[in-house]
Amino acid sequence: MNNFFWHEDIAEYPKNNPSFNPDQVYPEYPFCENVSDSPNQVYQMIRSLFISMKLDCENIGKATWNPLGEFIKQGNTVLIKPNLVKHENSANKGRKGMECLVTHPSVIRCILDYVIIALGRTGKIIVADAPVQGCDFERLKKSWGYDKIEKFYRDKGIFISIDDLRDSKVISKGGHLKSEAMTPKYNGKIINLGKHSYFFTPEKKNINYRITNYDYRILNSNHNGAVHKYCISESLLQADVIINIPKPKSHRKAGYTGALKNMIGVNTSKEFLPHHTKGSKYHGGDEYLEKDLFSYTIGRIHDIKDILNKKKIYWSDKTFDSLCKLLLSRKKSSFSEGSWWGNNTIWKTILDINIIALYANKDGKLSRYPQRKIISIGDMICCGEGEGPLLPSPKQVSGILFCDNSVEFDLILVHIMGFDKKKIPLLVNAVEDKRLYKEDDIYINSNKETFCKKIDEVEWDFAFRPSSGWAGMIEK
């Protein structure tokens, strides 16, 4: 397995550069007439990382240099999977709030250039994600510059679109929320993992899975006993190569977001994704810790609201908030909606999706052997800490992390974040799954000599702040 962590003492995303062009003409750069007068440190860092990894080393410095040719062959279909979770960070307004929330367009632009070089204008490029139900995707594209990337390539005769994979969204009208069906560019294909799922049991059980803002009755029809269905986008199934571009963050339910969690966005319908299990830990759930009537009531209000949304019945968001605030002031459990260290559901969903991503063929059937290559390039210039994934606070790291294995990427990532892999259910189970990971020792490769050691020997000093539900339980 290959990994590399490129780190700068200070790194920033490019400004005053609408198309995110490089700031100099590199020998291999295919659009030499388009160079920016303002710095583009991100482009330099990713390019330097490829050089340090000695990708296509014989042609470095030449017009024929093709660093991603080791992974991408002409004629391939390549899925670029960023993290485009939402159009706003309501807890941290402004540029920094967005920089720690979504994959920055400058990272996507640089990677696209090298994918185009590798394909030689053959094959197909897909850039897509399924954000949360309340995301205004078009607003995100326009406000953050993803549409400028589309225009840049379109003007070159290269038709690349950044697509929304959702089949439904929630819209707000006059203080009311309503579910609205969508027609995604790529259809979703239902795949039943059955006995290969982490949720598998020989017989049906009275288990109540939940995902906030979606009808739990539909969710539980997709997951019970030997039936464990996911609705996977054709964009993934068509792909020969996936370039996963996560935005590393603390995460309220999973503990952290990395390469493994970012793959959730290839599922087109959220009603196939268990996020937590109804009830307290005492009752076999992981919604919250202690037995608590008020917490139970809040959960049931969520259920009613989600059913009404599915039936396209207007529901007053203010009424819902008022009810919940009243109950929240009285509940004794400090956790809700599975947003705490005791969540024993979300990791199973994440690993199930990653098994599909790696082993499902173009028809959606599981194979014994990997069906596509997956590489991860983490946008770690500015990461997120605190109440991620939707309300993170900015955490400056000034790095780019590359790995050709998703589990190894995440193992390196949590060390950088200052978290303990042995305290995160997702990683504890991922490293034991030979379908996803077969290594033991990890040696870090980096441009900084202080990081070039075995992973457990590196002294990281970034110390991410976890979400409140994981505080004191995930740190080293």
Side-chain angles (χ1 to χ4, degrees):
M1 297 179 187
N2 295 313
N3 71 67
F4 203 96
F5 181 54
W6 187 276
H7 183 256
E8 299 284 351
D9 293 333
I10 300 175
E12 294 185 350
Y13 297 108
K15 301 178 180 66
N16 304 316
N17 186 353
S19 299
F20 310 102
N21 294 314
D23 55 15
Q24 57 185 290
V25 178
Y26 299 113
E28 73 282 0
Y29 181 53
F31 312 109
C32 56
E33 69 278 13
N34 296 101
V35 178
S36 175
D37 293 330
S38 62
N40 188 338
Q41 197 172 3
V42 169
Y43 208 110
Q44 296 172 14
M45 290 172 68
I46 295 174
R47 184 177 184 272
S48 297
L49 181 151
F50 290 159
I51 291 172
S52 295
M53 290 186 68
K54 299 181 180 179
L55 298 176
D56 190 23
C57 60
E58 294 180 356
N59 291 304
I60 293 172
K62 301 178 183 177
T64 54
W65 187 47
N66 176 16
L68 294 182
E70 180 176 324
F71 310 99
I72 300 169
K73 306 305 176 187
Q74 291 195 4
N76 280 171
T77 294
V78 179
L79 169 63
I80 295 177
K81 168 61 181 71
N83 186 336
L84 305 178
V85 63
K86 200 175 182 184
H87 64 278
E88 64 179 353
N89 182 343
S90 56
N92 291 278
K93 302 289 187 180
R95 181 174 58 86
K96 282 292 184 182
M98 288 302 295
E99 286 181 354
C100 69
L101 183 70
V102 294
T103 303
H104 198 275
S106 63
V107 178
I108 298 173
R109 167 60 204 283
C110 177
I111 291 169
L112 274 168
D113 279 358
Y114 285 103
V115 171
I116 289 168
I117 290 170
L119 289 175
R121 301 211 179 192
T122 68
K124 184 178 182 180
I125 300 173
I126 302 168
V127 186
D129 191 21
V132 297
Q133 67 282 346
C135 177
D136 186 334
F137 199 73
E138 291 305 313
R139 179 178 164 188
L140 172 62
K141 286 173 64 174
K142 290 177 182 177
S143 64
W144 207 228
Y146 303 102
D147 62 332
K148 301 294 192 304
I149 296 176
E150 293 176 328
K151 183 180 185 304
F152 174 84
Y153 289 116
R154 186 167 60 246
D155 291 345
K156 304 295 180 185
I158 303 171
F159 295 93
I160 293 172
S161 62
I162 299 174
D163 298 316
D164 185 347
L165 298 179
R166 294 175 297 176
D167 64 6
S168 69
K169 62 182 177 180
V170 172
I171 59 173
S172 177
K173 286 187 177 180
H176 295 76
L177 298 178
K178 182 183 177 183
S179 178
E180 184 177 277
M182 300 172 61
T183 304
K185 183 175 179 180
Y186 300 95
N187 293 326
K189 188 178 186 67
I190 295 176
I191 297 175
N192 180 14
L193 270 185
K195 65 181 181 180
H196 300 291
S197 170
Y198 273 94
F199 291 104
F200 174 78
T201 56
E203 299 177 355
K204 285 189 175 182
K205 293 184 177 181
N206 186 25
I207 297 175
N208 287 292
Y209 299 122
R210 295 291 188 271
I211 176 171
T212 306
N213 294 320
Y214 291 92
D215 190 336
Y216 70 93
R217 299 170 303 173
I218 300 174
L219 175 63
N220 284 288
S221 71
N222 293 320
H223 288 277
N224 207 321
V227 174
H228 295 287
K229 299 176 183 176
Y230 296 92
C231 192
I232 302 300
S233 173
E234 292 281 357
S235 65
L236 178 133
L237 298 177
Q238 291 176 20
D240 302 293
V241 180
I242 299 172
I243 300 181
N244 190 9
I245 320 179
K247 168 63 72 173
K249 290 173 278 193
S250 302
H251 194 286
R252 297 178 68 193
K253 289 180 170 59
Y256 76 100
T257 287
L260 292 168
K261 175 65 177 66
N262 196 49
M263 202 58 70
I264 286 282
V266 301
N267 192 98
T268 64
S269 176
K270 305 295 185 183
E271 288 157 332
F272 289 79
L273 299 172
H275 273 53
H276 64 274
T277 303
K278 173 185 172 181
S280 68
K281 187 175 182 180
Y282 177 86
H283 288 109
D286 58 17
E287 191 175 358
Y288 47 90
L289 180 58
E290 302 99 340
K291 291 188 292 183
D292 182 4
L293 177 61
F294 295 106
S295 294
Y296 175 85
T297 305
I298 291 170
R300 303 302 68 75
I301 293 173
H302 274 287
D303 288 345
I304 294 168
K305 179 180 76 75
D306 297 342
I307 291 171
L308 292 175
N309 280 343
K310 187 62 179 180
K311 290 184 175 181
K312 299 184 179 180
I313 298 172
Y314 284 115
W315 171 268
S316 171
D317 204 23
K318 290 183 179 178
T319 303
F320 169 72
D321 285 345
S322 297
L323 278 170
C324 285
K325 283 180 180 177
L326 176 63
L327 294 165
L328 281 168
S329 65
R330 301 188 177 188
K331 77 183 187 77
K332 64 181 181 180
S333 178
S334 56
F335 310 122
S336 61
E337 297 181 39
S339 298
W340 64 300
W341 55 267
N343 188 313
N344 194 42
T345 304
I346 188 65
W347 69 264
K348 300 173 186 176
T349 300
I350 294 170
L351 294 187
D352 276 3
I353 294 288
N354 277 270
I355 288 165
I356 291 172
L358 197 56
Y359 289 97
N361 65 20
K362 295 183 187 297
D363 296 322
K365 305 295 184 184
L366 284 191
S367 172
R368 293 178 61 188
Y369 306 102
Q371 298 297 293
R372 54 191 58 84
K373 298 174 183 176
I374 301 176
I375 63 174
S376 297
I377 303 174
D379 172 9
M380 298 185 68
I381 305 298
C382 180
C383 298
E385 64 178 359
E387 301 307 315
L390 301 182
L391 305 171
S393 300
K395 177 72 173 181
Q396 191 70 22
V397 174
S398 299
I400 299 287
L401 177 61
F402 176 100
C403 197
D404 59 5
N405 178 272
S406 297
V407 179
E408 182 166 307
F409 180 99
D410 281 16
L411 288 169
I412 297 170
L413 171 63
V414 298
H415 271 270
I416 292 173
M417 297 175 81
F419 297 160
D420 187 341
K421 64 182 180 181
K422 296 178 182 178
K423 298 177 181 178
I424 305 173
L426 173 57
L427 277 177
V428 169
N429 289 278
V431 296
E432 295 296 326
D433 193 330
K434 298 304 179 186
R435 296 172 293 181
L436 299 173
Y437 187 69
K438 297 179 181 179
E439 298 294 324
D440 291 316
D441 293 330
I442 297 175
Y443 185 89
I444 306 293
N445 297 291
S446 176
N447 61 311
K448 296 289 183 69
E449 189 174 340
T450 54
F451 298 149
C452 293
K453 301 175 183 177
K454 286 185 177 181
I455 187 169
D456 293 326
E457 297 174 356
V458 181
E459 293 293 332
W460 307 100
D461 57 2
F462 298 106
F464 280 54
R465 176 168 53 88
S467 69
S468 56
W470 289 77
M473 301 300 297
I474 194 174
E475 301 91 334
K476 289 182 183 177

